[in-house]
Amino acid sequence: MNLPYRHIALIGIGLIASSISHAARRAGFDGRITGAARSAETRDAALRLGLCDQVFASNAEAVEGADLVILCVPVGVMGAVAAEIAPHLAEGATVSDVGSVKAAVIEAVAPELPEHVDFIPAHPIAGTEYSGPEAGFASLFDNRWCLFTPTEGTDPGKLDDLIAFWRALGAKTDVMDPAHHDLVLAVTSHAPHLIAYTMVGVADDLRRVTENEVINYSAAGFRDFTRIAASDPTMWRDVFLSNKAATLEILGRFTEELFALQRAIRRGDGDHLHAYFTRTRAIRRGIIDAGQDTNAPDFGRTPKPGE
Ligand code: NAP
């Protein structure tokens, strides 16, 4: 496949960057991939796994000569990393990122970059609860959305190139306003993560009373919360601090709905509960119909009879 770049620099080599490397190679990318990571352990892993042709301890060195630079670090350090690489960026390079929040990243990164590069923020909505260079795999982005939040001055040709790149990695693509992106993600990802963190925290407090019962008898609902609540603490701290307004807005609505359900339970209002759960079941069906999750029982973890 003819990808529009010859040299990709990945700044930060964790789950997302390693998956980009695997997926780019799977798509036939035969150009150069350089990378930068803080720890020697991550840099060694990146070379051992063949994620990069060359790895640097300095972000600045990794971007030298690259025509596509992708910032794959936690959202809270994007601005500092942009300032570090700015003087070393090649003329005409595209600088992008994969941050889970867009408005705050644009605010932090855009002012740091020189005129002679194009900054095109992006967010692949794909991930797992694992992190680090060993966690990546080539199919992570397959059939998942990658959202782009270009700014007014974005060159349409450069945007088309980046979209073609992500499509080659397996993603479906869409373009969105940054503030709208942050509100959508607050509903679909950020608030649910906070709720999972809270639920697991509550159960952990309870465990002190009930010994190991919470772990031993963990049914599907709680078990699924623990998977989400195992996500990287640094990444998620930064997501909440950077998407404060939208997350608080959605949590406010969540609290109101929770109180309404609480009242329905107290009053024995079965009709309210049934109508509510019927509506939420339809949303789940919509997600499956859109190909964004499996329809296998228990997410495919329990074999069907006869399998
Ligand atoms: P990750 O696996 O934890 O990897 C993060 C990488 O960034 C590591 O290579 C780490 O280096 C480096 N790093 C961390 N702090 C740094 C700092 N202060 N300065 C320079 N480098 C630093 O993270 P990830 O899951 O790939 O996430 C990366 C980005 O993708 C985040 O912005 C996140 O919001 C976004 N994202 C994540 C997901 C997801 O589900 N995980 C999905 C979509 C988008 P060391 O290993 O040397 O510490």
Side-chain angles (χ1 to χ4, degrees):
M1 195 174 293
N2 213 355
L3 291 177
Y5 308 104
R6 294 310 307 152
H7 176 177
I8 302 168
L10 301 170
I11 307 302
I13 315 174
L15 167 71
I16 301 297
S18 57
S19 298
I20 291 174
S21 169
H22 287 303
R25 293 299 188 207
R26 185 189 64 174
F29 177 71
D30 59 0
R32 188 166 143 75
I33 302 181
T34 51
R38 285 181 308 182
S39 67
E41 200 186 346
T42 299
R43 294 196 295 275
D44 290 347
L47 289 177
R48 178 168 39 80
L49 297 165
L51 301 173
C52 302
D53 300 301
Q54 214 177 350
V55 187
F56 300 88
S58 128
N59 296 329
E61 277 182 83
V63 305
E64 297 277 0
D67 47 9
L68 174 63
V69 175
I70 311 180
L71 309 181
C72 304
V73 293
V75 166
V77 295
M78 294 266 183
V81 169
E84 211 181 319
I85 62 172
H88 305 269
L89 291 165
E91 184 84 32
T94 292
V95 178
S96 188
D97 75 299
V98 293
S100 309
V101 176
K102 296 281 51 108
V105 166
I106 293 171
E107 202 178 308
V109 171
E112 303 293 347
L113 298 178
E115 293 271 319
H116 66 260
V117 303
D118 282 272
F119 176 44
I120 310 177
H123 176 206
I125 306 181
T128 73
E129 65 277 32
Y130 296 105
S131 31
E134 319 252 0
F137 51 98
S139 59
L140 179 67
F141 309 113
D142 286 354
N143 204 30
R144 299 280 166 247
W145 287 96
C146 184
L147 303 179
F148 301 87
T149 60
T151 49
E152 257 176 37
T154 301
D155 178 326
K158 294 280 172 76
L159 175 61
D160 287 348
D161 283 349
L162 192 63
I163 288 176
F165 174 74
W166 276 99
R167 289 205 176 142
L169 301 193
K172 302 193 284 187
T173 56
D174 205 354
V175 174
M176 215 178 247
D177 168 76
H180 187 64
H181 165 279
D182 290 354
L183 184 64
V184 170
L185 268 291
V187 178
T188 58
S189 170
H190 306 168
H193 270 79
L194 199 74
I195 293 160
Y197 280 124
T198 315
M199 195 57 230
V200 175
V202 168
D204 190 45
D205 290 342
L206 204 64
R207 189 161 57 94
R208 291 188 196 111
V209 183
T210 59
E211 299 288 332
N212 280 328
E213 284 171 329
V214 169
I215 287 175
N216 289 343
Y217 307 140
S218 124
F222 180 69
R223 205 176 48 190
D224 294 334
F225 275 132
T226 62
R227 186 188 66 73
I228 298 172
S231 301
D232 186 68
T234 307
M235 169 185 157
W236 283 97
R237 177 203 61 196
D238 286 4
V239 165
F240 293 121
L241 295 181
S242 315
N243 198 17
K244 219 180 251 183
T247 309
L248 291 178
E249 158 77 18
I250 299 306
L251 285 174
R253 288 175 190 226
F254 172 82
T255 314
E256 285 171 21
E257 301 263 324
L258 189 66
F259 281 142
L261 290 174
Q262 211 175 332
R263 196 175 55 229
I265 293 170
R266 191 178 325 104
R267 290 182 177 172
D269 186 350
D271 288 348
H272 180 94
L273 295 175
H274 196 272
Y276 201 93
F277 301 157
T278 303
R279 188 156 64 90
T280 55
R281 188 179 229 192
I283 292 171
R284 170 74 188 158
R285 286 214 190 96
I287 291 169
I288 291 165
D289 291 348
Q292 294 302 301
D293 204 357
T294 171
N295 66 353
D298 195 22
F299 303 106
R301 286 178 296 215
T302 311
K304 288 186 189 143
E307 277 183 358

